[in-house]
Amino acid sequence: MNAPVMNAAILLLTDSRLPAGGHAHSGGVEQAVTSGAVHDVPSLEPFLRGRLHTAGAVAAALAAASCAFASCTAGAPPTWGDLDAEVDARTASPAQRAASRVQGRLLLRVARRLWPSPVLEELAEAVPSPHHPLALGAAAHAAGASSEDAALAAAYHAISGPATAAVRLLGLDPVAVHRLLADLSRELPTHPPVAWTGARPDARQSVWADLPAHSAPALDLLAERHARAQVRLFVS
């Protein structure tokens, strides 16, 4: 009876039909298919699970922190630029950093039209091409969603995009792939690891710096190989 209700705006933010360019990114699946690592639904499962618990977990925490930061008093340290730099530091691959900024810029552009907000204008002025988790968290705040909602959206985005790309690349049974997503949905975060609200302004920098920084070397290598590929269907 007292369980929190997810803000319906999160459905828009996680919808692949949102015109924010997400459909053009495979999250490493295209190169994984090219290498033979992913070739059917059973081989797709460990790829998605690994992505969820590494890059997805980091993105979820960062999006939650961004959403919480957006509700803080303006001018309190750190700044949007500082937070964007923290995302940069947690994204080792230059190709993945570039892809994150492209998706962040497009999402911010759409969010500013859907949910006009001073927070989104401040972010756009401070960081014209923010990382995707930063833009997602700010957009969630502008839409009236919670940090938990933002974390859920980021984690789901980390696996749903690659899953859809795998269907397109390999002609997989979409029902079987969505069954896999349904199973993985039990592992999506429900309580993001951030305690920003109520923290003293001088303590907020350390709160952000202490967020997860799980590495995924295999995803980094796939991203770099994909960036150098002469023929590719997806941007990343």
Side-chain angles (χ1 to χ4, degrees):
M1 294 294 293
N2 297 321
V5 179
M6 182 183 72
N7 188 299
I10 291 301
L11 298 177
L12 284 175
L13 287 171
T14 56
D15 192 335
S16 62
R17 294 166 294 185
L18 183 71
H23 65 281
H25 297 265
S26 78
V29 160
E30 182 171 12
Q31 192 58 221
V33 168
T34 300
S35 70
V38 172
H39 50 84
D40 55 13
V41 174
S43 59
L44 178 62
E45 185 271 336
F47 178 91
L48 294 181
R49 175 165 281 108
R51 182 171 172 78
L52 175 61
H53 291 288
T54 54
V58 173
L62 294 170
S66 173
C67 184
F69 172 75
S71 65
C72 294
T73 304
T79 66
W80 282 116
D82 294 329
L83 305 188
D84 190 75
E86 291 286 348
V87 186
D88 227 27
R90 287 167 170 78
T91 312
S93 162
Q96 292 214 69
R97 289 199 295 269
S100 177
R101 289 195 181 280
V102 168
Q103 293 183 79
R105 181 179 70 249
L106 294 176
L107 177 58
L108 180 58
R109 182 185 67 182
V110 171
R112 291 169 71 188
R113 294 183 61 183
L114 295 182
W115 303 287
S117 164
V119 165
L120 296 180
E121 296 307 314
E122 291 169 6
L123 174 56
E125 182 178 355
V127 189
S129 295
H131 279 290
H132 184 264
L134 205 67
L136 179 57
H141 170 77
S146 67
S147 295
E148 289 80 3
D149 291 335
L152 190 65
Y156 180 72
H157 178 270
I159 57 174
S160 61
T164 301
V167 172
R168 295 166 62 184
L169 289 164
L170 294 169
L172 301 178
D173 178 0
V175 176
V177 172
H178 276 76
R179 169 61 188 271
L180 176 56
L181 287 176
D183 291 340
L184 290 174
S185 68
R186 302 186 182 96
E187 301 175 31
L188 294 176
T190 55
H191 300 289
V194 59
W196 195 287
T197 304
R200 301 188 317 276
D202 60 351
R204 289 171 183 158
Q205 184 83 51
S206 62
V207 169
W208 184 278
D210 290 340
L211 288 172
H214 306 304
S215 63
L219 289 177
D220 293 338
L221 291 173
L222 289 173
E224 293 304 312
R225 290 174 185 168
H226 188 272
R228 295 193 299 269
Q230 295 184 350
V231 179
R232 57 189 181 183
L233 177 63
F234 292 89
V235 177
S236 70

